[in-house]
Amino acid sequence: MKRISAGTVRGALDGRGVTVVLDGVEGDKGRAAFGLLAEGGRYVTIGAASREQFRPDEAELKEGGVTFTDALARLLEGLDRPTDEARALTAAADGTLVPAFQTFPLSQAATAHAALEARATTGKVVLVPDAHG
């Protein structure tokens, strides 16, 4: 996956800002993406792959007329966790809910890692012991 710098984005937009940032990384990259927003833009977080949270402060939002939404938090707001967890476990047990995962033999851990980096996987990736034959 080719990485594009904030400067490249600004150049491609002839100095204009972007109207929406969908940020799944946060951290330093989230801050850089936030800096690309035009006045009145929207910054939406959809995860934190960097494991570093970035939240613009109220002054930054007000200064640019920018709105901020933590989409994952909003999604989780309405959940009744104990009830929903019990329903999910029941559905998994009866086969109506099937988790998405891919397995790789442990000896192919490097291949699994490369697939993750290339975003060529679906669901979780599980390394399993090599079959002895």
Side-chain angles (χ1 to χ4, degrees), residues 13 15-21 33-43 60-61 63-67:
L13 294 172
R16 293 170 297 156
V18 299
T19 56
V20 178
V21 169
F34 180 80
L36 293 171
L37 279 168
E39 189 170 327
R42 289 192 260 169
Y43 179 75
E60 290 175 303
L61 295 171
E63 180 180 314
V66 173
T67 58

Side-chain angles (χ1 to χ4, degrees), residues 14-132:
D14 294 324
R16 293 170 297 156
V18 299
T19 56
V20 178
V21 169
L22 298 176
D23 182 7
V25 178
E26 293 193 39
D28 291 340
K29 291 188 181 352
R31 173 156 290 289
F34 180 80
L36 293 171
L37 279 168
E39 189 170 327
R42 289 192 260 169
Y43 179 75
V44 181
T45 61
I46 54 175
S50 69
R51 303 210 187 280
E52 297 173 13
Q53 191 176 59
F54 165 69
R55 293 291 184 268
D57 63 35
E58 288 300 317
E60 290 175 303
L61 295 171
K62 195 176 230 182
E63 180 180 314
V66 173
T67 58
F68 167 75
T69 303
D70 183 338
L72 183 58
R74 289 190 70 184
L75 178 68
L76 297 176
E77 267 174 11
L79 293 181
D80 175 358
R81 290 195 180 191
T83 301
D84 293 334
E85 181 179 299
R87 284 189 9 225
L89 290 172
T90 298
D94 70 18
T96 57
L97 175 65
V98 180
F101 66 95
Q102 288 177 259
T103 61
F104 288 84
L106 186 56
S107 62
Q108 293 181 19
T111 301
H113 191 266
L116 283 164
E117 283 186 340
R119 298 187 181 263
T121 61
T122 302
K124 298 295 180 182
V125 172
V126 180
L127 296 175
V128 297
D130 290 307
H132 297 287

